[in-house]
Structure formats: structure tokens, C-alpha cells
Amino acid sequence: FYAEVDGIVDAAASGHSIKEMISFSNRRGSTQRNEIPTAALALLLVGVETLIFVSMTTLIRNVSRAASRIGVEEHLLTLPEEDLTKEILPMVQAVNRAIGRLEAASEQQGLFLAAAAHELRTPLAVHRAHIEELPDGDLKEQLGEDVQRMASMISQLLALAKLGASDRNFEEFDLATVVEETCVERGSAAINDGKELSFHVAEDSATVLGDRAAVQTAVANLIDNALAFTEDGENVSVRVEGRGVSVSDNGPGIREEDFEQIFEPFFKSPPNKRGHGLGLAIVDEIMKMHKGSVQAKNGNGGALFELTFPDPGRT
């Protein structure tokens, strides 16, 4: 046999162990290998592997960034499938199919919610008419309040269904004007409850881009929530400054343990409080739809809720 040590054939090394052959080769100085081609080939292989690795990781990062924007950017509903390698494409296609199934289920749920709420309005109207025919008394008053609560829940369910719709009527409007209109509308409810509702607007009020009716719903829900925690004769204050709206009351404030779940659907504190626990959840969804934010805190003597809308030029 012959041995090839360090790339050089040396028949004289025949019969020696590997260790002896290496020592023999090194001792004789018989290795005259040119390392430049080997080094060049090694660098080429490393470069190709690095290029493949960087390309794959870049594609994965792009897909990850696109996934993080789904639901935030209206035009991006699925992951992009263009220019993907055959290793990544099946995974992305599977995710897109899952997203499609979720969207279909959500759409069906919204349609069911809207249809159910709409169908319930007719029997409620009939019940209200029958109640009006009853003689005055505690029973009539109690039944009237029950029907009113049911009608309020139906309205909130319809509002939730509309928030899930894709056809949103976004336009630029003056925020102070919309909030003022809402205060005028809710003012009669405050007066009927023996409470006050005040409205203030700063000189730097601005325009926002959004769904006018949805913003009115958000402000109205905050006002109704504040009135529910306000004692007779006390005041609920609504203020517009820039692209922000604040609603404050003189109630007991928000308990520390409630801050984490105050915007969750059907959450009420205390549990026997009037309402259905949907008002603040609707406010939260409306602000997410407008890429804005809602914050709850304790102000001077009561709860304070703040809505902040983004600059229309930066959305």
C-alpha cells in the first residue's frame, strides 16, 4: 500500500503507522503542498454557506416582521408568499390558510352577533309597548328598567359587531366638535339622574382621522361609565385638548387590583354594578381600531379616562 501524508504520496513511508508516517514526513520535509488552492476553496465554501444562511435568516426576519403587522396595518391580512424558498414557503402557506379560517370564523361570529341583536330589538319594542299599558306602580317601573337594560346590551352588541366590520368610514373631523355633540346628547341623561356634565375645550384642539360614529360611541361610553359612579349633584367633566379626550368623575376611583382587567369584556367592579361590563371593552376596541390608546387612572377625587388619537399625517 502507499500512504498519502499531507497531500504528498511517499512510497518510502510504506509499513509505518500513521503517527510514524506523519513524523517521517515532517522529519524529511517532504510535504511541499501548495495551501493557496485549499484555502481559496475553503473560503469559497464558507462564503457560500454564509450567503445561504444570511439569505434564509433574512427571509425569516421579513416573514416575522410581516406577521407582527397583521391586524395592525389594514392592507396586510396575510403573510407575503413572494420570493420565498421552497423550505419556508409551505410553512407560510399553512399560516395563511389558518389566518383565512380564523377570519372566516370571526366574520361568521360578527354576522351572528349582529343578526341576533337586530332580531331581539323587535320583541323588546313589543314588550315596551305592553309595559306602557300597565297601571303605574313598582312593577311597571321595574319591568321598564329591565327592558331598558336589555335594549342597552343589544346596542352594545351591535356596536361590537360593527367594530369587526371591514368597511370602516374613516374621515378627518374636528375632535372637539364630535365630543361636544356627544356631551349634548348625553347631557339629558345626566340631568335626569340629578347630575352635572361639563365640557371644556382647549385652544389647541385638532382634527383626527377616524370613524366619527365610533368615536362618539367611545366618548358616550366613558360618560355613561362616569355617570354610573357619580353621586347625585356631582359633576362629570369632559375635556378636549389637542388629539386627546379626558373624562373624569368624583366617584370612588378605581381599585388597584382592577386596573389590569378593567377593559376586559363583561368585567364589572363591583360585580353587582349596573350595566353589562361591555362599555369600556368597546372603548378599548375603538381606540385600537384608530391606532390610539385609552388609559385609566385615578385623578383628583375619582377616576380619569384619557383617549389619545394619533396624528393623521403619521398614520
Side-chain angles (χ1 to χ4, degrees):
F1 68 93
Y2 70 92
E4 184 174 333
V5 180
D6 209 11
I8 301 298
V9 176
D10 194 334
S14 178
H16 295 276
S17 67
I18 297 297
K19 181 178 180 181
E20 289 173 335
M21 286 188 291
I22 295 175
S23 299
F24 175 78
S25 176
N26 288 338
R27 183 173 61 252
R28 290 185 54 195
S30 61
T31 57
Q32 305 296 327
R33 176 183 174 187
N34 188 349
E35 297 183 356
I36 294 179
T38 305
L41 179 60
L43 289 175
L44 178 62
L45 292 176
V46 170
V48 171
E49 290 178 359
T50 302
L51 181 63
I52 295 174
F53 177 77
V54 171
S55 177
M56 292 286 287
T57 54
T58 300
L59 289 173
I60 294 174
R61 287 197 200 100
N62 292 338
V63 172
S64 299
R65 282 194 291 265
S68 67
R69 298 197 304 271
I70 292 178
V72 178
E73 298 182 10
E74 297 297 328
H75 67 279
L76 188 60
L77 301 177
T78 57
L79 296 176
E81 299 181 4
E82 296 79 12
D83 302 326
L84 295 181
T85 63
K86 62 180 181 180
E87 293 81 9
I88 301 178
L89 183 59
M91 178 189 68
V92 173
Q93 290 175 335
V95 171
N96 285 340
R97 287 193 295 268
I99 293 174
R101 291 192 294 269
L102 289 174
E103 288 181 348
S106 178
E107 185 177 355
Q108 290 178 354
Q109 184 182 28
L111 290 174
F112 169 78
L113 192 63
H118 180 75
E119 292 298 324
L120 285 173
R121 280 186 164 181
T122 300
L124 277 180
V126 174
H127 282 302
R128 184 180 285 112
H130 289 329
I131 291 172
E132 290 299 325
E133 296 175 357
L134 295 174
D136 293 339
D138 293 339
L139 177 60
K140 179 179 180 179
E141 183 177 352
Q142 183 61 48
L143 290 174
E145 291 178 356
D146 291 342
V147 170
Q148 181 59 37
R149 282 196 294 271
M150 293 175 66
S152 175
M153 172 173 270
I154 289 173
S155 297
Q156 290 181 327
L157 290 174
L158 282 173
L160 279 174
K162 289 178 180 178
L163 290 180
S166 58
D167 52 339
R168 296 167 183 168
N169 300 317
F170 273 38
E171 60 179 338
E172 283 197 19
F173 56 83
D174 182 69
L175 182 61
T177 301
V178 170
V179 175
E180 183 179 11
E181 292 173 355
T182 309
C183 288
V184 172
E185 179 185 334
R186 305 308 299 162
S188 58
I191 295 173
N192 292 336
D193 289 343
K195 303 163 187 178
E196 297 180 359
L197 178 63
S198 61
F199 171 70
H200 309 276
V201 56
E203 294 181 356
D204 62 340
S205 65
T207 60
V208 300
L209 177 65
D211 188 315
R212 189 186 189 99
V215 172
Q216 287 180 321
T217 299
V219 176
N221 283 354
L222 289 183
I223 293 174
D224 291 343
N225 183 74
L227 290 173
F229 286 99
T230 301
E231 299 294 333
D232 292 348
E234 295 294 332
N235 178 66
V236 170
S237 176
V238 181
R239 180 178 178 82
V240 178
E241 185 171 357
R243 295 182 184 86
V245 181
S246 63
V247 179
S248 59
D249 58 58
N250 294 316
I254 305 170
R255 298 187 305 178
E256 193 67 30
E257 59 268 26
D258 292 341
F259 276 102
E260 292 185 0
Q261 50 188 344
I262 194 170
F263 295 107
E264 294 181 1
F266 303 108
F267 174 77
K268 296 193 297 182
S269 180
N272 60 350
K273 170 182 169 287
R274 290 179 58 187
H276 315 288
L278 289 173
L280 293 181
I282 291 175
V283 174
D284 187 43
E285 287 298 319
I286 290 174
M287 296 311 296
K288 288 178 180 177
M289 183 178 77
H290 288 81
K291 301 179 183 178
S293 64
V294 53
Q295 290 185 333
K297 60 180 73 173
N298 285 319
N300 297 325
L304 172 65
F305 288 86
E306 295 178 335
L307 307 179
T308 304
F309 292 88
D311 186 343
R314 297 182 180 179
T315 55

